[in-house]
Amino acid sequence: MENPISVGTSCPPCESALKTANNENKSVNATAFAPAPKPSRPFVYDTTDTLFALIFFGVGYCYIYVLTQTSGYFWRGWLLFTAVFITAVLSYGLLRGVKPPKESWFWLTATALVGLSCRLVEIDGSFAVFRFYGLTLLAVYWVLCYFGVLTGGKTGNYIAIDMVRGLFVLPFGNFFAGLRCIVQAICSRGKKKHHMDLVIGIILAFALCAGVIIPLLSRADAQFSELLSGFRFHLSSLFFGDFLVLKIRLILALPVSAYLFGLCYGAARRRADGLASAETLQKSEKRIRILPLNTVLVVVAAACALYLLFILLQAGYLFSAFAGVRPAEFTYAEYARRGFFELCQLTCFNLALLWGINTLCRSPRAESRLLKASNLALGTLTLFLIATALSKMLLYVDSYGLTPKRIVTTLFMVGLAIVFVLLLVWQYRSFNLVGVSAVLFTVIFVFLCLVDLREISNAYNAARGFDPIFFDIFYL
């Protein structure tokens, strides 16, 4: 017989009610201890941003205008674009109250000198393309440094991350920032009127007149069309060339100006950078140190043993240049080229290996003498191979004369040698090795842009009694 429930006693909770209560408690606890969502930074703009969104449209048009010029004026136009771009960025930063770091003046000087070299020294071939890309990278990196958004506040171990941020994250993350500034400035109607209303009105009036009113009036009246055609001819001949080309340039200038303004706006407002800070990256570095010291020593010892064996077996081939002779089975061109490409492959591999062992080893370099010894051994062997390759190149120049490519190759190998010397010094005294190396190769690049390599080659060849040939940049 069932026990009756007495009046005044509470009914025991059923199983479903217990489950519901437990679930509610879990959800409450999870909500209480869950990390708060990271607030998204709102879109902020002012009159300065709107004004420079319009100014950068002119900068973007200047870029397209230079890019579509004929070969005779192509490189001269890059001086104009560099001057316009630098002026726009400096003015924007000045109105934003930016206090540029001292390092930014170095990158500004390098960018300006490379832009100036486009007017002073006319070159063609592969080095001309190399100069164009170098100017682009310098300009982007200077903007990052000028607005103080480099990881860690200076050029250092995170330079590759900074370049990704400058080339992709900031520009495309703020790609429509300029358009939003202009649209919101038009839509905002308050009691205070800005001077931007006049600028926006002029732009809208020009767009309506040029796009709608003038074409319709030209079709309606022949005299008006003839008058407009004459004015258009003189104006386009003076500044733009064909009127159709002008329209194409204006269209292409839109994405370019959005990219350039997005870079500057994102750097100035610290918006949509999307990458980790220096503190976060340093904590991540500690977590990826997974290799024991013994494992690293075995890897480095095996690599050094292979290099020593290779040097001993190829001693007659590798070191013949020190004696001023070449192997009989090679021409001077084959001898120099083969040595150069061997150097590039070994140097890149050794740099990657040194970076890997110093990043992944559990024992930091400053606390491990054995790791320092491994770095010294690998760096010394690489320096030995660089010296061998340089001697072969000098033997080639002594036999056949100098060319622009031989100058570039020699300076590149000298730069690599200096980097590895600095690497050896770094084992005894800690300093910003990556930053110094970046400055070194920037100085070499700017020097190569400013000097006339053909003139130097011809002067050297004439002094040595070689035939006065204008060597092509592609000729080794």
Side-chain angles (χ1 to χ4, degrees):
M1 182 175 180
E2 296 181 358
N3 296 326
I5 301 175
S6 62
V7 179
T9 61
S10 60
C11 178
C14 61
E15 185 178 356
S16 60
L18 289 174
K19 291 183 178 179
T20 304
N22 291 335
N23 292 335
E24 290 179 355
N25 291 332
K26 289 181 179 179
S27 63
V28 171
N29 293 334
T31 305
F33 292 100
K38 186 178 181 181
S40 59
R41 184 168 296 181
F43 182 80
V44 181
Y45 78 101
D46 55 15
T47 305
T48 301
D49 297 321
T50 308
L51 176 62
F52 275 88
L54 299 173
I55 291 176
F56 269 91
F57 178 77
V59 178
Y61 179 82
C62 182
Y63 180 89
I64 296 298
Y65 179 77
V66 174
L67 198 63
T68 55
Q69 287 298 301
T70 58
S71 59
Y73 299 94
F74 180 77
W75 291 111
R76 297 180 182 180
W78 286 116
L79 173 61
L80 172 64
F81 169 75
T82 304
V84 171
F85 178 76
I86 289 176
T87 303
V89 174
L90 288 176
S91 302
Y92 182 60
L94 181 64
L95 293 179
R96 290 249 61 88
V98 173
K99 296 181 179 180
K102 294 181 180 180
E103 182 188 351
S104 66
W105 297 110
F106 168 79
W107 298 108
L108 172 60
T109 304
T111 305
L113 288 177
V114 175
L116 180 63
S117 71
C118 296
R119 178 64 179 88
L120 298 178
V121 182
E122 294 185 5
I123 59 176
D124 53 5
S126 58
F127 190 70
V129 178
F130 184 59
R131 179 170 65 178
F132 169 74
Y133 287 114
L135 177 60
T136 302
L137 295 177
L138 283 174
V140 170
Y141 196 77
W142 165 65
V143 171
L144 298 179
C145 188
Y146 175 69
F147 287 104
V149 294
L150 294 180
T151 305
K154 62 180 180 179
T155 303
N157 297 336
Y158 309 113
I159 185 172
I161 297 177
D162 289 329
M163 290 307 303
V164 172
R165 172 182 292 164
L167 290 173
F168 303 104
V169 179
L170 286 175
F172 292 110
N174 301 278
F175 191 76
F176 296 102
L179 180 61
R180 292 182 65 179
C181 290
I182 297 174
V183 171
Q184 293 188 18
I186 296 175
C187 296
S188 62
R189 288 290 179 258
K191 296 181 179 180
K192 296 182 179 180
K193 292 187 177 181
H194 308 134
H195 63 276
M196 285 302 305
D197 294 342
L198 179 61
V199 177
I200 295 171
I202 293 174
I203 295 175
L204 291 177
F206 175 79
L208 291 175
C209 292
V212 180
I213 300 176
I214 292 179
L216 292 177
L217 291 177
S218 300
R219 297 174 185 175
D221 185 72
Q223 292 183 354
F224 183 81
S225 178
E226 183 178 355
L227 176 64
L228 183 63
S229 299
F231 174 76
R232 182 186 298 172
F233 173 77
H234 292 292
L235 181 64
S236 61
S237 299
L238 180 61
F239 295 102
F240 308 110
D242 190 8
F243 193 71
L244 177 61
V245 176
L246 168 62
K247 294 182 179 179
I248 296 175
R249 287 171 176 167
L250 289 174
I251 294 174
L252 294 177
L254 291 174
V256 174
S257 61
Y259 179 92
L260 295 176
F261 180 74
L263 169 64
C264 296
Y265 174 85
R269 293 285 188 179
R270 308 298 199 272
R271 185 177 183 276
D273 53 13
L275 294 177
S277 62
E279 293 77 11
T280 304
L281 292 174
Q282 290 174 358
K283 293 179 181 178
S284 300
E285 287 181 359
K286 295 179 180 179
R287 289 196 296 266
I288 64 175
R289 291 185 176 275
I290 57 176
L291 293 181
L293 178 60
N294 293 334
T295 303
V296 172
L297 294 178
V298 170
V299 172
V300 176
C304 292
L306 286 176
Y307 285 140
L308 288 173
L309 179 62
F310 176 80
I311 291 172
L312 292 175
L313 293 177
Q314 301 290 330
Y317 162 73
L318 290 175
F319 308 133
S320 58
F322 288 113
V325 297
R326 62 173 174 83
E329 63 271 17
F330 294 103
T331 64
Y332 283 104
E334 294 172 345
Y335 190 49
R337 286 193 185 99
R338 185 170 182 180
F340 175 70
F341 289 117
E342 287 173 350
L343 167 70
C344 288
Q345 295 172 5
L346 290 175
T347 302
C348 293
F349 176 77
N350 289 347
L351 282 175
L353 182 60
L354 287 170
W355 175 83
I357 63 177
N358 285 274
T359 302
L360 301 177
C361 184
R362 292 178 182 174
S363 302
R365 176 189 55 84
E367 303 174 3
S368 176
R369 294 183 179 180
L370 292 177
L371 185 59
K372 289 183 179 180
S374 301
N375 295 334
L376 289 171
L378 197 56
T380 303
L381 288 173
T382 307
L383 274 175
F384 200 68
L385 295 177
I386 291 176
T388 305
L390 270 174
S391 63
K392 291 192 289 185
M393 178 57 68
L394 295 177
L395 176 62
Y396 188 32
V397 171
D398 185 69
S399 301
Y400 287 103
L402 199 60
T403 63
K405 261 199 169 181
R406 293 168 198 169
I407 298 176
V408 175
T409 301
T410 303
L411 288 179
F412 175 71
M413 290 190 290
V414 170
L416 287 177
I418 295 175
V419 169
F420 273 91
V421 170
L422 293 175
L423 179 66
L424 300 183
V425 177
W426 185 58
Q427 308 308 313
Y428 300 98
R429 182 178 180 181
S430 296
F431 60 94
N432 188 1
L433 177 61
V434 176
V436 174
S437 302
V439 170
L440 170 65
F441 277 99
T442 301
V443 172
I444 294 176
F445 174 72
V446 173
F447 172 77
L448 291 174
C449 291
L450 289 174
V451 299
D452 193 338
L453 300 180
R454 292 178 183 271
E455 184 177 349
I456 294 176
S457 301
N458 293 329
Y460 174 84
N461 296 331
R464 290 292 310 275
F466 294 107
D467 293 334
I469 302 176
F470 288 89
F471 292 98
D472 185 74
I473 191 73
F474 292 103
Y475 186 69
L476 179 63

